[in-house]
């Protein structure tokens, strides 16, 4: 394997890359794609090809759906706790292979290895175990109807074959957010990782086989949105599609769902989240919080707090502190000794983000930090310095559109009414933050802001027990918590004549 960074990789990581996983995982077997095609997945830190991966076409999707359909009755009918036990076993295996999975995640996605190892991987198993615990706790209810001599009860039943389409920013974690509740509830699954980051999902497939999942319960298809993702969205025998990604693709998936079989969809889409610093907050903590709210994962997070609203009285102080902190952030490849911000995912993404920065400058937003690409040893990768803009015109594209890169837009506000109006003046509604010591102000904002998650004096926490999802064009459906099980089940009402 050439062009790998200087790092002592686990032998299993190198072997996995050498084997170059050119096959699809269908019915517990590795099969050659009927398309006959492969595509390259690259290391965003140096643009080098990491592996050639199979490209699934519509015929491959058909084969995976057939396997998942065949597996469904036995899987749905299994004693629920036994399904849970298999998911717990998978979590144990993921723990055992965590170092390899973290290395593959950093190679494929670019994120710092420390983050993959201490962030992504522990979360993967925490979420999987939480959902595994639901398997034998999915209950119906008895219903007190108005008819005499009728006993009425409900059952929560699985939907059938579920498709999961995953983005590239948290490849394995997002896969587990969907795999956990889908399989715990008795559905079978076709998982499509993003074409930029297919490696950990393929590794996961092998672990699932080792854990003892019956053939067809989990199938992994690699390929781009077109044709692979689209063939899933259009498939008449996929009962539900769970999607995380951009709002534009989410809309296309809903359209395909409507035209094919009215499959259920859950959509976790883009964001342009407002994060607010009031003058009465713990300012150093708020600055640090605001900094990480935007720049973790190089800004490639759907919840990124990209619009920072600062109360006028502390505006200069916050800007000064933020730009000083941002100037100290180390941008480097993910295996570097010290790194805060890794590369962006792809050349296209780098171009897009750089385009927003150039346009913002021309449109009159003031650039206070960053804005440039990195040269020298990193010029082949997709690196961009953390960037801070100050602005006053809410209609700027960089204020309205999701950039998905390390770009913060900071503005001043004078009072709460103005703040709420401006914070809500976006098509998105995924998340929001507020920093203040005034408990009343904090809750007023939390209730008025149109967002699925609000953090008070913190930012970015996600937990398997806490429902997560969007308002407005950030999508619908709640992942995590008990709500996640609702996404993957349907209610049947049974009437029994007791006369
Ligand atoms: P991003 O802009 O963050 O790359 P996308 O929404 O383009 O996000 O991609 C997220 C996931 O959606 C990926 O797995 C991608 O392959 C898939 N995808 C892209 N286009 C389509 C489509 N037309 N139908 C179904 N899936 C798609």
């Amino acid at each position: 394997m050439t062009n790998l960074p200087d790092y002592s990789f686990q032998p299993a990581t190198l072997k996995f890359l050498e084997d170059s996983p050119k096959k699809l995982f269908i019915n517990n077997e590795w099969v050659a794609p009927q398309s006959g095609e492969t595509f390259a997945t690259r290391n965003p830190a140096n643009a080098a090809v990491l592996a050639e991966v199979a490209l699934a076409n519509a015929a491959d999707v058909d084969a995976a759906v057939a396997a998942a359909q065949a597996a469904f009755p036995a899987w749905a009918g299994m004693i629920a706790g036994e399904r849970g036990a298999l998911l717990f076993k998978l979590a144990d295996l993921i723990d055992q292979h965590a170092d390899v999975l973290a290395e593959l995640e950093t190679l494929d996605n670019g994120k710092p290895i420390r983050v993959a190892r201490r962030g992504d991987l522990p979360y993967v198993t925490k979420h999987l175990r939480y959902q595994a615990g639901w398997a034998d706790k999915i209950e119906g209810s008895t219903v007190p109807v108005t008819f005499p001599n009728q006993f009425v009860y409900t059952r929560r039943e699985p939907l059938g074959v579920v498709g999961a389409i995953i983005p590239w920013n948290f490849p394995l974690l997002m896969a587990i957010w969907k795999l956990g509740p889908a399989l715990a509830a008795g559905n079978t699954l076709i998982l499509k990782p993003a074409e930029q980051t297919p490696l950990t999902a393929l590794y996961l497939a092998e672990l699932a086989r080792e854990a003892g999942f019956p053939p067809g319960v989990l199938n992994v298809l690699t390929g781009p949105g077109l044709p692979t993702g689209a063939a899933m969205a259009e498939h008449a025998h996929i009962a539900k599609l769970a999607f995380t990604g951009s709002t534009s693709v989410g809309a296309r998936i809903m359209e395909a769902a409507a035209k094919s079989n009215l499959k259920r969809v859950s959509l976790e889409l883009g964001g342009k989240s407002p994060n607010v610093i009031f003058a009465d907050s713990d300012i150093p903590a708020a600055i640090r919080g605001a900094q990480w709210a935007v720049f973790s994962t190089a800004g490639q997070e759907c919840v990124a707090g990209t619009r920072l609203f600062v109360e006028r009285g502390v505006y200069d102080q916050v800007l000064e502190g933020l730009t000083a902190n941002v100037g100290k952030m180390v941008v480097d490849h993910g295996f570097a000794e010290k790194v805060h911000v890794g590369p962006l995912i792809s050349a296209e993404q780098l171009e897009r983000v750089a385009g927003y920065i150039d346009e913002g400058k021309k449109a009159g937003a003031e650039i206070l930090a960053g804005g440039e690409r990195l040269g020298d040893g990193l010029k082949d990768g997709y690196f961009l310095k953390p960037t801070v803009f100050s602005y006053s015109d809410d209609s700027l594209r960089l204020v309205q559109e999701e950039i998905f890169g390390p770009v913060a837009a900071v503005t001043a506000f004078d009072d709460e009414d103005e703040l709420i109006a401006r914070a809500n003046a976006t098509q998105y509604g995924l998340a929001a933050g507020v920093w203040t010591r005034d408990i009343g102000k904090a809750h007023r904002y939390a209730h008025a802001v149109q967002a699925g998650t609000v953090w008070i004096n913190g930012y970015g926490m996600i937990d398997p027990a806490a429902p997560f999802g969007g308002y407005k064009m950030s999508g619908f459906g709640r992942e995590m918590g008990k709500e996640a099980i609702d996404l993957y089940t349907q209610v049947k009402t049974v009437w029994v004549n007791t006369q």
Side-chain angles (χ1 to χ4, degrees):
M1 183 60 52
T2 53
N3 273 319
L4 283 186
D6 186 15
Y7 185 79
S8 55
F9 287 100
Q10 298 284 323
T13 304
L14 300 174
K15 177 157 189 339
F16 182 79
L17 292 175
E18 268 161 29
D19 289 350
S20 212
K22 296 192 203 78
K23 295 195 170 169
L24 305 169
F25 187 73
I26 299 176
N27 221 17
N28 272 5
E29 281 170 21
W30 292 102
V31 298
Q34 296 181 50
S35 70
E37 290 178 57
T38 62
F39 66 99
T41 182
R42 289 174 189 277
N43 177 354
N46 60 10
V49 173
L50 286 168
E52 284 290 329
V53 176
L55 188 153
N57 66 11
D60 296 307
V61 174
D62 281 343
V65 171
Q69 274 186 307
F72 175 68
W75 180 249
M78 191 185 250
I79 290 171
E82 290 177 9
R83 285 200 304 267
L86 280 169
L87 290 166
F88 280 116
K89 178 101 186 285
L90 180 59
D92 291 345
L93 286 171
I94 292 172
D95 272 343
Q96 284 164 29
H97 292 254
D99 284 343
V100 178
L101 286 162
E103 288 173 4
L104 289 174
E105 209 74 310
T106 291
L107 284 169
D108 220 5
N109 166 280
K111 66 179 64 193
I113 183 70
R114 181 178 40 82
V115 173
R117 194 171 276 142
R118 296 198 203 148
D120 293 54
L121 263 298
Y123 267 82
V124 162
T125 45
K126 191 158 88 164
H127 282 253
L128 185 52
R129 290 194 174 101
Y130 173 88
Q131 294 297 346
W134 271 111
D136 56 2
K137 298 170 192 69
I138 301 171
E139 297 173 345
S141 59
T142 56
V143 186
V145 293
T146 53
F147 293 85
N149 304 317
Q150 293 287 335
F151 169 54
V152 178
Y153 65 94
T154 64
R155 290 164 50 78
R156 272 207 168 268
E157 298 186 342
L159 297 157
V161 179
V162 168
I165 298 183
I166 308 297
W168 43 258
N169 55 350
F170 294 90
L172 192 58
L173 182 59
M174 302 266 165
I176 291 297
W177 281 7
K178 294 168 176 40
L179 177 152
L183 296 191
N187 303 280
T188 52
L189 188 67
I190 297 167
L191 174 66
K192 190 197 90 60
E195 59 272 34
Q196 297 87 348
T197 54
L199 297 180
T200 46
L202 291 167
Y203 200 92
L204 177 74
E206 193 55 45
L207 296 185
R209 183 159 72 166
E210 194 180 329
F213 283 84
V217 168
L218 170 66
N219 307 277
V220 178
L221 299 182
T222 43
L226 291 174
T228 320
M232 289 169 67
E234 287 160 11
H235 206 285
H237 300 299
I238 290 184
K240 184 226 158 73
L241 207 123
F243 173 75
T244 298
S246 61
T247 293
S248 58
V249 172
R252 248 175 276 155
I253 282 176
M254 236 177 124
E255 204 181 332
K259 285 189 181 145
S260 49
N261 59 340
L262 277 184
K263 60 175 64 63
R264 279 68 181 134
V265 292
S266 50
L267 304 175
E268 201 265 271
L269 307 176
K272 193 75 190 175
S273 298
N275 186 22
V276 177
I277 300 180
F278 279 104
D280 64 6
S281 62
D282 174 345
I283 299 290
I287 291 173
R288 270 195 313 279
Q291 176 192 353
W292 288 106
V294 189
F295 298 115
S296 5
T297 323
Q300 303 170 117
E301 288 189 10
C302 49
V303 296
T306 45
R307 291 184 299 144
L308 180 61
F309 292 86
V310 184
E311 196 164 8
R312 179 106 36 210
V314 291
Y315 186 64
D316 290 342
Q317 184 190 351
V318 168
L319 270 188
E320 207 173 291
L322 182 66
T323 46
N325 283 4
V326 166
K328 289 185 215 137
M329 293 182 97
V330 178
V331 185
D332 208 334
H333 68 85
F335 293 96
E337 194 102 327
K338 187 170 186 217
V339 49
H340 300 118
V341 179
L344 300 187
I345 190 69
S346 63
E348 298 78 48
Q349 188 61 8
L350 179 64
E351 286 309 318
R352 258 193 80 236
V353 179
Y356 276 107
I357 292 173
D358 290 344
E359 193 188 310
K361 281 195 241 173
K362 282 187 205 127
E366 190 187 352
I367 199 156
L368 301 172
E372 317 104 52
R373 302 177 188 197
L374 264 74
D376 300 335
L378 297 176
K379 67 178 171 1
D380 293 335
Y382 315 128
F383 294 92
L384 192 63
K385 283 196 181 155
T387 301
V388 179
F389 274 105
S390 74
Y391 74 96
S392 50
D393 176 357
D394 288 334
S395 69
L396 292 178
R397 263 186 5 115
L398 78 92
V399 178
Q400 286 300 323
E401 295 181 14
E402 182 175 50
I403 297 177
F404 231 62
V407 183
V410 193
T411 191
F413 70 93
D414 291 297
D415 63 59
E416 276 182 65
D417 288 343
E418 174 209 335
L419 168 69
I420 291 298
R422 292 177 66 197
N424 284 339
T426 163
Q427 62 176 339
Y428 296 112
L430 190 60
V434 60
W435 299 79
T436 174
R437 289 190 170 105
D438 179 332
I439 192 168
K441 213 188 269 178
H443 286 284
R444 278 198 298 279
Y445 171 80
H447 295 192
V449 74
Q450 293 160 348
T453 296
V454 185
W455 292 287
I456 298 173
N457 293 327
Y459 202 95
M461 280 77 66
I462 301 269
D463 187 89
F468 176 80
Y471 276 31
K472 301 197 282 188
M473 288 182 82
S474 293
F476 50 83
R478 291 292 175 270
E479 299 192 282
M480 288 160 288
K482 188 169 186 293
E483 277 83 348
I485 295 296
D486 296 348
L487 277 189
Y488 295 94
T489 52
Q490 54 195 344
V491 174
K492 177 181 281 174
T493 304
V494 183
W495 291 70
V496 187
N497 186 346
T498 56
Q499 193 116 53

